[in-house]
Amino acid sequence: MLTSYDPRTGEVVGEYASMGAGELTRTVRSARSAEQWWAALGFDARKRWLLDWKRAIARGTRELVELVSSETGKPRIDAAIEVTLAVENLDWVARHAERLLSRTTRLADRFRRDPAGSIAHLPLGVVGVLGPWNNPVLTPMNSIAGAMASGNAVVFKPSELTPGVGAWLADSWNHLAPNQPVLQVVTGDGGTAAALCRAHLDKLSYAGSGVGAREIAGLCAQSGTPLVVEQGGRGTMVVQVDARLDSAAAAAVYGAMANSGQHPAGVRCVYVADSVYEPFLELVADQARRLRPGADRQASYGPMALDTQIDVVRRQLRDAVSRGGRLVVGSPESIREPYIEPIVLTDVPEVSTAITGDGVGPLLVVNRVATMEEAAERVNAAEKPLPVSVFTRDVRSVPEFAGQLRTELVTVNAAPVYGVTGPGRIRDPQSLREFSRTQTVTERRGGDQITLGTFDRHPRRLRVARALFRLRHRV
């Protein structure tokens, strides 16, 4: 039996069956049967079903928000924002799937020797989704919506910390289509996740830590299951000399402290131009001191959901101070399990785990840099590319600076936001095509000068082909 708890109070939220390999096999089999019906409906019918599901989720927002808040401990306002974004993305996916995935015709260019044909994006079959606990609705729903809009059935395994959220989403679908289990949920711990990886699905989507991603990749490799990974990670902010410091400070504090620093995106470290370092740090400290963790509605953020992450924050704080880092806000006494009060550090060496380790907990590092070139060097020293936020009034200069950075995402005058990279992308065509297979149909043209696929090579056609080749390539 799998039990979920409210991390704020330790009270039981719900109990769910922990599914074994046999039940998982039956679930996948029924999903394959439902997928045949779902894929055969076509885009227009699937759009109507998905929009009906969107409305059902929207009507149940209050209940779902309460469940998310109870299982994760995050404030209701944060849970409401997450549910709202998930509903909006489901609406977008349902309305744009046909335009992005339906068959398109490619005309031939006789001079360039391109064949005529068409390209379509077809369903894969059954897609597995492994969801995280920190964004238990938005993150998995992006993959679920994209997979279903593409014509696939989905088997969803939520985190063992938030099984109730996964069950709620599946139930909301099953109320609409009780005899067509296009979306099914399986609950359990890591053993259930491993069994899903070995279930020979057509694709699996995972969102979570780098360590978890490596484990899932190894399991999927054993069964030959294609895998798409979204590795979360709080990124870096760069504050240039002309930045609006109040806006930059507000974004830095929110990016570091929201959801107790447990968001899959946000800010871990800020590099500030030397000339504005002092006033920026003062603004950050002032805003951070106003925040208060707790379980009531007035709390700025909630508890840490995992004891292991509290230990990570404690070790990172100790490491930063032992290496010469200076505490601006907070102290070791700020860690009062299960809550951690805001912690702001400065002058932290780049080798400290507070910078190089996982960004968890409401801990923010603010370091000064002499030049933007130095800021770029420090950003690029990270083990893996993470989002970068640049605050400046000279927006036109950002692309040049971004070209120096080893990152896939640069946001301007805003903190990095989850949902713009990986399978968690919001309103991105690639998030739909990720869960489809491309099929190309080509057509032979009778007027080809060189007929491929036959030994009938007429000398006159060869001469014409040589002449066209020389003309095109100026030989």
Side-chain angles (χ1 to χ4, degrees):
M1 185 66 67
L2 182 65
T3 303
S4 63
Y5 299 90
D6 187 330
R8 297 166 297 193
T9 63
E11 296 178 355
V12 174
V13 176
E15 293 184 337
Y16 306 87
S18 186
M19 296 187 180
E23 188 172 0
L24 184 59
T25 299
R26 290 190 292 273
T27 299
V28 173
R29 189 181 299 122
S30 66
R32 292 204 178 279
S33 176
E35 186 272 336
Q36 296 175 13
W37 166 78
W38 183 243
L41 285 179
F43 288 110
D44 191 56
R46 289 199 297 268
K47 172 184 174 181
R48 292 194 297 270
W49 276 99
L50 290 175
L51 290 178
D52 285 346
W53 187 33
K54 177 210 70 171
R55 285 186 282 270
I57 296 174
R59 285 193 295 269
T61 294
R62 184 183 298 273
E63 180 183 354
L64 181 56
V65 165
E66 184 62 36
L67 184 56
V68 171
S69 180
S70 297
E71 288 197 319
T72 65
K74 66 172 63 177
R76 290 174 180 80
I77 183 62
D78 288 346
I81 293 171
E82 179 184 343
V83 172
T84 299
L85 289 174
V87 170
E88 291 289 344
N89 190 57
L90 177 57
D91 180 86
W92 185 89
V93 165
R95 297 182 187 278
H96 290 79
E98 182 172 10
R99 177 178 63 85
L100 296 171
L101 300 177
S102 58
R103 188 174 293 277
T104 57
T105 301
R106 185 180 67 190
L107 298 176
D109 185 329
R110 294 185 62 185
F111 189 71
R112 291 181 177 271
R113 320 307 308 147
D114 291 336
S118 61
I119 299 174
H121 300 275
L122 305 179
L124 293 170
V126 178
V127 172
V129 176
L130 297 175
W133 61 268
N134 48 12
N135 270 9
V137 177
L138 176 60
T139 303
M141 273 295 290
N142 287 338
S143 292
I144 291 169
M148 291 177 65
S150 302
N152 304 286
V154 174
V155 178
F156 172 37
K157 194 271 178 194
S159 166
E160 55 267 35
L161 299 180
T162 56
V165 172
W168 192 96
L169 291 173
D171 287 344
S172 66
W173 170 261
N174 291 330
H175 283 312
L176 293 177
N179 299 318
Q180 299 296 345
V182 176
L183 171 64
Q184 298 185 70
V185 66
V186 294
T187 54
D189 55 15
T192 304
L196 190 63
C197 293
R198 300 190 187 101
H200 297 283
L201 303 175
D202 298 290
K203 197 161 197 175
L204 192 135
S205 173
Y206 167 82
S209 67
V211 173
R214 288 190 289 272
E215 293 177 356
I216 295 299
L219 291 168
C220 287
Q222 295 175 17
S223 60
T225 302
L227 173 66
V228 57
V229 174
E230 167 75 3
Q231 288 190 47
R234 281 161 51 189
T236 303
M237 180 181 290
V238 176
V239 179
Q240 298 188 357
V241 293
D242 62 342
R244 291 181 173 87
L245 298 186
D246 52 349
S247 299
V253 172
Y254 180 82
M257 312 296 176
N259 194 24
S260 305
Q262 299 171 114
H263 271 309
V267 179
R268 174 174 59 180
C269 182
V270 184
Y271 295 118
V272 189
D274 186 71
S275 61
V276 296
Y277 164 79
E278 293 290 351
F280 176 81
L281 184 60
E282 184 177 339
L283 287 168
V284 166
D286 180 63
Q287 294 194 30
R289 291 190 183 103
R290 300 178 189 176
L291 304 181
R292 183 180 63 82
D296 56 80
R297 292 181 180 272
Q298 285 70 45
S300 306
Y301 56 83
M304 300 294 288
L306 299 173
D307 292 340
T308 54
Q309 292 193 323
I310 296 176
D311 293 336
V312 169
V313 175
R314 185 179 285 112
R315 290 194 300 270
Q316 290 182 354
L317 176 58
R318 187 183 301 123
D319 181 74
V321 173
S322 68
R323 294 178 183 273
R326 178 166 60 91
L327 276 163
V328 180
V329 177
S331 68
E333 286 68 41
S334 299
I335 303 175
R336 303 175 181 178
E337 302 181 26
Y339 299 99
I340 300 179
E341 296 174 354
I343 299 171
V344 178
L345 291 151
T346 191
D347 299 329
V348 177
E350 295 296 308
V351 295
S352 172
T353 56
I355 294 177
T356 63
D358 290 335
V360 297
L363 185 152
L364 176 65
V365 173
V366 179
N367 281 347
R368 73 175 84 206
V369 291
T371 64
M372 288 301 101
E373 288 71 21
E374 181 185 352
E377 290 176 3
R378 296 195 183 191
V379 169
N380 293 336
E383 182 179 352
K384 65 176 181 178
L386 290 172
V388 178
S389 175
V390 179
F391 272 77
T392 178
R393 295 174 192 259
D394 186 8
V395 176
R396 290 179 295 180
S397 69
V398 173
E400 181 178 355
F401 176 69
Q404 304 175 44
L405 305 178
R406 191 172 63 93
T407 181
E408 296 180 357
L409 170 68
V410 175
T411 62
V412 182
N413 295 329
V417 178
Y418 183 74
V420 292
T421 60
R425 285 185 296 261
I426 295 175
R427 301 188 179 190
D428 187 340
Q430 187 59 29
S431 64
L432 277 163
R433 292 170 181 158
E434 197 77 69
F435 301 105
S436 64
R437 58 185 177 90
T438 302
Q439 183 187 75
T440 302
V441 176
T442 62
E443 177 186 351
R444 172 188 166 186
R445 293 295 186 180
D448 288 347
Q449 296 301 327
I450 299 179
T451 304
L452 301 178
T454 176
F455 288 107
D456 183 16
R457 311 285 173 81
H458 194 280
R460 180 179 174 278
R461 289 186 174 180
L462 291 174
R463 288 194 297 271
V464 173
R466 288 194 199 99
L468 290 173
F469 178 83
R470 293 191 184 103
L471 178 63
R472 182 183 174 207
H473 298 289
R474 299 180 181 180
V475 178

